[in-house]
Amino acid sequence: VLLLIVTLIKGLNVHILPHSHHDPGWLKTVDEYYYGCSGLPNYNINVILNNLVNSLHMHSHRKTIYAEVVYIEMWYSKQPEYVRKVFKDLV
């Protein structure tokens, strides 16, 4: 406890980095996860990626890790050129 108190007094740098965990094909097909469907879990990866890119674009100091490349490829291929540019700038 004392070490923690001393560390806090000196300054503690905590890094919290959000990351994805959407296992393609685990309980549902890749398309069911991407587009959403009834039942649990009801993911809609398309919407998640739209919100993620929008949020990172508005708050450039934020960072994230997105591991499931299959969904990035599906999402990216359907985006207009200006969204692709925003995405490339973020990466």
Side-chain angles (χ1 to χ4, degrees):
V1 175
L2 181 58
L3 179 59
L4 180 59
I5 292 170
V6 171
T7 303
L8 289 173
I9 291 171
K10 288 183 178 180
L12 178 64
N13 239 345
V14 176
H15 298 271
I16 300 173
L17 192 59
H19 71 281
S20 65
H21 187 81
H22 305 120
D23 292 328
W26 177 48
L27 296 175
K28 298 181 181 193
T29 68
V30 170
D31 285 343
E32 287 174 331
Y33 278 118
Y34 183 78
Y35 295 108
C37 68
S38 62
L40 295 175
N42 187 16
Y43 297 111
N44 190 327
I45 306 299
N46 178 45
V47 173
I48 291 170
L49 285 171
N50 286 338
N51 292 336
L52 176 67
V53 170
N54 187 44
S55 179
L56 292 174
H57 181 61
M58 291 189 313
H59 307 281
S60 60
H61 64 284
R62 293 181 179 172
K63 307 293 180 219
T64 191
I65 297 171
Y66 199 90
E68 294 77 24
V69 178
V70 65
Y71 296 125
I72 292 174
E73 191 280 327
M74 291 173 73
W75 176 85
Y76 186 84
S77 69
K78 295 170 179 56
Q79 299 309 306
E81 192 57 40
Y82 73 92
V83 175
R84 289 180 181 202
K85 182 182 181 332
V86 167
F87 181 79
K88 287 179 187 177
D89 291 344
L90 291 170
V91 172

